[in-house]
Each structure stands twice: as structure tokens, then as C-alpha cells.
Amino acid sequence: LDSQFYDLTAFIKAHPGGPLPLSQSMGTDISALFHSHHMRGVPETLLAKYRVAEPKPDDVAAIEACDYTFEENGFFQECKRRVQAMGMTTGVAAVTWPYVFKVSAVFGAFLGSWYAVCFLPLGPTVIALAFINMWTRMCLTGIGHEAIHGRMQNWLTWEFFDMTMLFPSDSWHLEHVTQHHPHSKRHEYDPDEILDPFRLCEDVSWTPLHIFQAPLQIVLVFASVVSCIDKHIVCRTSMLKGTFYLFALHLLPFFTRDTYGEAWLLSGLSVGMANLTIVLCFHLSHVNESNALHARFQEGGDWGAHQLLTSSNFNGTLGALCYITGMLEMQIEHHLFPSLSYENQLKIKPVVQQCAKDFGLPYYEYSSAIHGIAGHLYHMHQLAWADTPALLAVPAKQGVNVPLSGPPAPAASAAAPSPAE
């Protein structure tokens, strides 16, 4: 941490954020995780207690040094000070009764609509309830996303992501919180840059199979089933639980409906459409034309600036949409300060925008989720070819916003320096 070495073994169980952030980051540099998740300084006396004054040479060699900077006059620390000045000095918001009601109501609606999808006679009402089930699945995924970052974290909310996407929550915490968040769009560190058989970035070697990857995104309707096979069965992680979730919450209509046609229809509207929308909402925030401009990380760059340049928001104007996404439309604020609640991220958005403008950095935001998905699919089409014009023209300098042709990329609300600058 900040070029100092610590043995936090004895502190893992006492860590206020739970044991996983520490146990899953053993033997690594945790500077980015530490600075982004702690909204106020940790007492020096606490850190000093675990500091290793003379680490073993082998340990030093094994831990790759942090190649980001957190300079006091840099973008991230200045933005953090402005956010703290708003009173955001604590991480995850306290659990409120309205939030408990939201979680309870969504989970109840999910179970009720799923019962209808599985057992009630097919008709307009059941089809409408299948759409409601799709919506509640996306809501539960959003709630699970918040839980993985610490909000209302209990056994049930921790399981929501596994229930809906069949991805073990402990494993997703490792990939999402510990690896993706600190190192967005860095192919060697960010697991979200790899999703076989697709090519999500130029660092993935091109093959002819990628030519049709944009329209083949439709196969993501089976994302949860593939995830169960990969994460639960192949990796032998909670196989019994994963199999139960698969059959009880994803495949049950194939055993209860009168015909396979009914099962395919209702499962497609509920499970399939939820899978597709969830994955696309995750991907549009990073896998797009504008963020690809800054995917080439420069060693020694400001960590917060890197997060800003490699993340995109989309406007969620409908309350129902915001309930679905669970912070996905606020990826810039969420990546800078992942422990803040969704409500607090909405509050700090103008501050982050102004700070980006003051530093001459672009702030990428789609006008809607539909525009974001269109931009993502267009970028996937660009990546489908070995010679990708948009990526070959990427300038090396950080902060450069080069307008490209094609469907709209996220609008940058702050002017960026020109290549000549």
C-alpha cells in the first residue's frame, strides 16, 4: 500500500468491509482498492500496527508495484476532497426502511411472477407476468451488485447475483471488486476484457470467428446457463447450490409447462431477456468506442483519471430503470467511489463532472441505455475485423477525445485537449 508493506493476516476477520477484500488481494498492491473504498483516512496507528518495516526480498519481488499515482494535486485526490466536502466521509450508506421495502417487494414480485411463469395457464396475463419477472431479475441483479459492494450485505442479498446470473458471489467479488474495479480495461488484469468467444478489446487476438460477433450477442440470452456450467460445474464451486438455482430459478418451466413451446416462450421472455439486458448494460459502460481510445494505459498515470477515461454513464431517466440497474448507469462515479450508495453517487455526479472539466478530461455519457447498447454493438462490429480503424487511430496521449464516425459514442461533457496539445 503506497510503497509500504503490511501483513494484515490478523486483521482480516476484523476488517469492517468484510474478509474478502483482504483475503482475495493477498500478495498484491492494494493502493487502488484502498484509496477508492475508504472515503476518509484510516488511522495511522492502525496501519502502523501491521506495517512490515523490513519485508523479505522474495515478498517484495513477488508483489508487482502499483503503476498508478495518487498525487495530492491529481484528479482523483482533488475529486475525492470535493466529494468529502459534501459530507461523503463514510462509505456504504446505512440501510433504510425504504431500501428494505424495495428489496423485499422486488424479491416477492420475483417469486410470484416466477410461479406464474412456471405453473399458471398460458395467456396474456402470464405473458405480462413473464415481463415482470424479467424486470425483477434485473432488479435483483442490481441489488446483488450493490450488496457485493457492501450495501445491505446479508446472506440473501449476497446470493441474489448467483440466483439470477448463476455466478458464485464470492467468485464474482474476486473478479469484479478486486480485479475489474481497480484495473478497468487493462487486459492483463481486468477479467471483464475477456469473454469467449467474443473479442471485447484489441488485445484479444482476432480470428475469423469474430466477424459475426455483433449479431451473435443474442446468444447472451443463455448467459446464466453458460455461467453455471463454467463457474459452478467446471470450476467445482458450490456445485449443488448452483445446480439447484439452475433448475429451480431458470429451467423449471421446461418441467412444468404443457409444451416445450410454452417453456421456450416464457423462459425466453423472463430469463433470456433479463440475461441479455444485464450483460449488455455491464458491457456498454466500458466496451465502447470512446473508452477504447484510452485503453492503452500509461504507467504513472493518475488512477482516477484512468477510471474516468475508461468508463461511461448512461442516463436512466425512468425510476424503474434506475431500480433495475443498481448503479450500472453511474459507472464513472461508481468506479471512482465504489463504496458509495446509488443515492450518494447521484448527488456527487455534478461534482465529478466539474472536476473533470477543471482537469480538461472528458466525461462520457450516453443519452439513454438504448443509445449505449447501440454504441456497444457498433464497437463490437468494429472489433470484428482484424484491422480496426477506430483502434488503429488511437492517440497515445491520455485525455484526448477524438470524434469518430459511426453510431453515436458517449457524449463528452468536458472538452479534452487536442492531440496538438
Side-chain angles (χ1 to χ4, degrees):
L1 170 61
D2 295 336
S3 301
Q4 298 290 328
F5 292 83
Y6 298 86
D7 183 356
L8 299 173
T9 306
F11 184 63
I12 289 178
K13 292 183 178 180
H15 183 235
L20 281 183
L22 296 184
S23 62
Q24 291 182 343
S25 59
M26 281 185 176
T28 67
D29 190 296
I30 62 170
S31 298
L33 274 174
F34 179 86
H35 289 296
S36 60
H37 281 79
H38 294 88
M39 293 305 296
R40 56 183 174 185
V42 173
E44 173 62 23
T45 52
L46 177 61
L47 288 175
K49 181 179 178 181
Y50 300 102
R51 184 176 294 129
V52 178
E54 298 181 2
K56 298 178 181 178
D58 290 345
D59 292 337
V60 174
I63 299 178
E64 188 174 351
C66 179
D67 49 9
Y68 303 106
T69 58
F70 298 88
E71 300 292 340
E72 286 301 315
N73 60 349
F75 167 76
F76 176 68
Q77 293 291 16
E78 175 60 27
C79 189
K80 189 173 185 178
R81 283 191 292 271
R82 296 185 188 187
V83 170
Q84 289 171 332
M86 297 177 64
M88 308 291 179
T89 56
T90 58
V92 179
V95 176
T96 61
W97 281 111
Y99 190 76
V100 173
F101 175 78
K102 168 191 168 179
V103 173
S104 303
V106 169
F107 189 53
F110 165 73
L111 294 177
S113 58
W114 184 238
Y115 175 85
V117 166
C118 295
F119 297 105
L120 295 187
L122 181 64
T125 301
V126 171
I127 290 177
L129 288 170
F131 279 105
I132 291 176
N133 187 258
M134 174 191 71
W135 179 75
T136 57
R137 283 177 184 272
M138 292 189 289
C139 286
L140 290 179
T141 304
I143 295 168
H145 179 229
E146 289 198 82
I148 214 83
H149 285 285
R151 188 174 193 190
M152 195 176 166
Q153 192 178 98
N154 54 48
W155 175 85
L156 182 61
T157 58
W158 186 260
E159 288 294 310
F160 280 162
F161 197 84
D162 200 359
M163 290 179 183
T164 57
M165 297 305 294
L166 299 177
F167 197 132
S169 297
D170 283 13
S171 301
W172 192 52
H173 185 280
L174 171 64
E175 292 191 14
H176 183 72
V177 177
T178 310
Q179 297 174 344
H180 164 67
H181 261 268
H183 308 294
S184 300
K185 291 201 70 63
R186 297 187 63 183
H187 178 260
E188 67 272 33
Y189 301 117
D190 183 0
D192 284 10
E193 291 290 280
I194 302 173
L195 181 65
D196 294 332
F198 302 112
R199 186 181 187 222
L200 300 184
C201 65
E202 70 274 21
D203 289 313
V204 175
S205 299
W206 181 85
T207 71
L209 295 176
H210 292 131
I211 291 176
F212 301 106
Q213 69 172 5
L216 285 178
Q217 295 280 292
I218 192 65
V219 303
L220 293 175
V221 296
F222 303 107
S224 59
V225 177
V226 174
S227 176
C228 182
I229 295 172
D230 180 26
K231 302 299 181 180
H232 277 291
I233 298 175
V234 174
C235 295
R236 297 181 178 274
T237 303
S238 303
M239 293 177 61
L240 183 61
K241 180 177 68 174
T243 303
F244 172 76
Y245 286 161
L246 172 65
F247 284 97
L249 301 178
H250 294 256
L251 301 180
L252 189 57
F254 290 94
F255 299 93
T256 61
R257 304 305 306 185
D258 293 335
T259 67
Y260 283 124
E262 290 185 13
W264 277 109
L265 171 65
L266 296 175
S267 293
L269 293 177
S270 55
V271 179
M273 290 303 296
N275 285 344
L276 180 63
T277 306
I278 290 166
V279 176
L280 288 178
C281 281
F282 269 105
H283 282 174
L284 73 86
S285 302
H286 303 285
V287 185
N288 58 64
E289 190 176 14
S290 294
N291 293 150
L293 293 172
H294 313 287
R296 294 299 183 190
F297 173 74
Q298 289 185 340
E299 186 172 349
D302 183 87
W303 177 82
H306 176 74
Q307 296 297 322
L308 182 75
L309 295 170
T310 56
S311 303
S312 296
N313 288 356
F314 64 87
N315 277 326
T317 54
L318 298 177
L321 178 63
C322 297
Y323 267 44
I324 287 173
T325 55
M327 303 188 288
L328 291 186
E329 78 271 25
M330 303 288 295
Q331 280 292 285
I332 292 174
E333 290 73 19
H334 177 54
H335 267 254
L336 289 172
F337 308 106
S339 62
L340 290 183
S341 68
Y342 174 76
E343 293 83 358
N344 284 338
Q345 286 174 7
L346 285 173
K347 294 177 182 177
I348 70 171
K349 181 178 178 180
V351 173
V352 175
Q353 287 178 313
Q354 183 60 50
C355 194
K357 184 176 181 180
D358 293 343
F359 277 79
L361 296 170
Y363 182 100
Y364 295 119
E365 184 170 61
Y366 287 105
S367 58
S368 69
I370 299 299
H371 284 85
I373 291 173
H376 164 67
L377 292 177
Y378 175 70
H379 186 60
M380 292 294 288
H381 170 69
Q382 289 180 307
L383 288 166
W385 303 96
D387 295 327
T388 310
L391 299 179
L392 292 176
V394 174
K397 184 176 178 181
Q398 271 192 350
V400 178
N401 181 16
V402 180
L404 301 174
S405 59
S413 61
S418 66
E421 295 173 334

